[in-house]
Amino acid sequence: MKVEPLTPAFGAVCSEVDIGALTDEEWTEIEGAFHAAGGLLLVRGQDALCSNPRAVAHFAERFGPLEDNAKYFQMGL
């Protein structure tokens, strides 16, 4: 996994990782990068997850509870 600053002041870019199959160590690194970057994390290369919205929701839930949204129900989550 690779984590780099998005800008000098804010945000981070994470690549070379599959957020649908994170190890505990990868999760710890991603969570740390998210907080260190001020709460903005861009994760590149997740095209395979486009057909698996539940995996995307599971990743997002690791940061905290998700808000209800009508789109979630349309995706079958």
Side-chain angles (χ1 to χ4, degrees), residues 8 10 52 55:
F10 185 68
N52 189 354

Side-chain angles (χ1 to χ4, degrees), residues 8-58:
F10 185 68
V13 178
C14 182
S15 59
E16 301 175 20
V17 66
D18 176 1
I19 65 169
L22 291 173
T23 66
D24 289 340
E25 293 81 18
E26 289 170 330
W27 165 249
T28 299
E29 189 173 349
I30 284 176
E31 184 181 31
F34 172 78
H35 291 294
L40 175 65
L41 183 66
L42 172 63
V43 184
R44 296 199 185 272
Q46 303 303 301
D47 296 340
L49 288 181
C50 290
S51 62
N52 189 354
R54 182 68 207 134
V56 175
H58 177 69

